[in-house]
Amino acid sequence: MNERIEFIDLNAQRNRIAGRIESAIMRVLEHGQFIMGPEVKQFEKELAAYAGVQHAVTCANGTDALVLALMALGIGPGDAVLVPSFTFVATAEAPVLVGATPVLVDVDPQTFNIDPGSLERSIAFARKFSLKPRAIIPVDLFGLPADYAAIAALAEREGMTILSDAAQSFGGMQHGKRVGGLAPITTTSFFPAKPLGCYGDGGAILTDDDALAEILRSLRVHGKGRDKYDNVRIGQNSRLDTLQAAILIEKLAILEDEMARRQIVAERYVRKLAGVVETQAIPSGHQSAWAQYTIKHPDRDRLAKSLKESGIPTAIYYPTPLHLQTAYRNFPADPAGLRVCEKLSAEVLSLPMHPYLDEMVQDRIVAAIRSSV
Ligand SMILES: *Cc1c(COP(=O)(O)O)cnc(C)c1O
C-alpha cells in the first residue's frame, strides 16, 4: 500500500523535536511572560547570529516586517517602491499600506526573480509619474536569492535602497553569504509552511544598521521612546509572541540540518527530472532555501490533474501575477509589459518539497511526472 504523500510534511519535523518543543512551551507557561519574554530576546540573538548580521528584530508576521521596514526607511506618499509582479501579495501590499506606490516589475524566465532590465525601465516609468523611486523589494522566490549584485548596482546609480523580501529564503545563501546579509535590510516570515516556520504567525527584520534596528524596535511597540509612555513616532502593535519565539528557538537549532536535507531532495529532483520538465534555474554560487521546488510545463493544468489522480499533491504559486489582480490592476507597471510573469503564472507547478521527503516517495513523484508529460 502506498503511503500518503504530503506537500509539506510538518508532522515529520514535529515528531523529530516534539519533546523539546513541548518543554519549551511549558517553560513559557510557567514564567508567564507571554509578550516580549526572555525567549524573544534569545531567539533574536540566535537568528541574527545564524544570518551573520548585527540585528534581528522580530514582529507579528512577514507582512508587518515589510511594513515596519518601509516605515523605518521613511517611505511614504509620493515614493515609488519597485516590486516583482510574480510574488505573494504582501510584497506589494506593504508599500500601499505606508502610502507609497508599488511599481510592478517583470521577472526572469529562468530564475523567476526580479529582472534587472525590467527594473530599470520601471524606475524610469515611475519618474514619469512624478514618483520618487526610493526602494526596490526583490523577492527570493521559492527560496532562491535574487540577483543582488545587479540590483545593488542599479539601486546605487538611482539613489535607492534595497529591502529584501526573504519570506521564502531564510537559510539560503549567495556567494558564501547567508540570506539576511544580502541587502541593507531584509524581512522574513515564520508562517508555518516557510522554511523556518512557527506554530502561528511571526516575522523578523534583519539588518546591520544600528540606527535602523533601534527605530524598528520602537515601531513594533507603538513607536515607544525611552519611556514607554512617551511615544516618539507613530508605530504599530507588532510583536512576536514569546510562545512562538520559544518554538522557533528549537526549530532554528535544526535549520542547518534541514537545509542540507532540502538540498539533497532538490538535487535528486534536478537529476531525475533532467530532460523531462524545465525547473527553476539555480545560478552558480546560489543556494536556495527550497521553500518550493517548482517546475514549468506548457500544459500545467493537465499535468496537475494527472498527478492528483496518482495521489501526488501539487500547488500553483502563483496563478495570477499581481498586475492582473483586481486590487493591483491600476498601479504602474513596466511599460514594456510583464510577459514573463504572465507566462510563468500559466506554466508553474510546485512539487512536494520538505526536508523529510525520502527517495522512494520522490521516485513515485518523478515516475508520475514522466508518465504524464
Ligand atoms: C509568506 C510571504 C510573505 C508574508 O508573510 P506573512 O508572515 O504571511 O505575513 C511576504 N512575502 C512573501 C514572498 C511570502 O512568501
Side-chain angles (χ1 to χ4, degrees), residues 60-66 84 86-93 137-142 165-169 187-194 200-204 291-292 317-318:
N61 56 69
T63 307
D64 277 7
L66 287 164
F86 192 56
T87 178
F88 180 63
V89 64
T91 318
E93 179 188 14
I137 311 184
V139 176
D140 299 342
L141 204 71
F142 306 146
D165 180 350
Q168 302 176 7
S169 62
T187 62
T188 195
S189 161
F190 306 123
F191 182 85
K194 309 283 174 166
D201 276 313
Q292 308 294 342
Y317 301 116
Y318 296 92

Side-chain angles (χ1 to χ4, degrees), residues 218-238:
S218 158
L219 283 171
R220 71 173 163 181
V221 190
H222 306 285
K224 73 176 167 91
R226 281 231 167 80
D227 176 340
K228 174 171 163 188
Y229 293 104
D230 179 29
N231 291 291
V232 296
R233 54 176 66 80
I234 306 296
Q236 282 200 11
N237 174 9
S238 184

Side-chain angles (χ1 to χ4, degrees), residues 231-252:
N231 291 291
V232 296
R233 54 176 66 80
I234 306 296
Q236 282 200 11
N237 174 9
S238 184
R239 295 166 301 217
L240 179 71
D241 289 348
T242 309
L243 276 169
Q244 299 302 344
I247 290 159
L248 282 162
I249 288 168
E250 301 306 325
K251 292 206 185 194
L252 181 61

Side-chain angles (χ1 to χ4, degrees), residues 180-310:
L182 301 176
I185 185 163
T186 298
T187 62
T188 195
S189 161
F190 306 123
F191 182 85
K194 309 283 174 166
L196 179 60
C198 58
Y199 291 149
D201 276 313
I205 306 126
L206 301 128
T207 185
D208 278 324
D209 186 324
D210 299 346
L212 218 44
E214 195 182 322
I215 295 171
L216 288 164
R217 290 196 179 98
S218 158
L219 283 171
R220 71 173 163 181
V221 190
H222 306 285
K224 73 176 167 91
R226 281 231 167 80
D227 176 340
K228 174 171 163 188
Y229 293 104
D230 179 29
N231 291 291
V232 296
R233 54 176 66 80
I234 306 296
Q236 282 200 11
N237 174 9
S238 184
R239 295 166 301 217
L240 179 71
D241 289 348
T242 309
L243 276 169
Q244 299 302 344
I247 290 159
L248 282 162
I249 288 168
E250 301 306 325
K251 292 206 185 194
L252 181 61
I254 57 164
L255 184 66
E256 190 64 357
D257 173 71
E258 290 194 333
M259 280 295 141
R261 288 168 183 255
R262 282 179 195 268
Q263 196 58 37
I264 291 167
V265 172
E267 278 162 17
R268 277 194 220 123
Y269 269 140
V270 169
R271 207 168 56 242
K272 292 171 197 266
L273 290 172
V276 181
V277 285
E278 270 189 79
T279 65
Q280 182 184 23
I282 309 299
S284 75
H286 289 52
Q287 195 166 309
S288 177
W290 296 113
Q292 308 294 342
Y293 190 88
T294 304
I295 63 171
K296 283 193 281 186
H297 194 266
D299 203 352
R300 188 263 321 273
D301 292 339
R302 192 187 51 76
L303 175 59
K305 186 163 171 278
S306 152
L307 291 177
K308 190 173 178 201
E309 284 161 6
S310 309

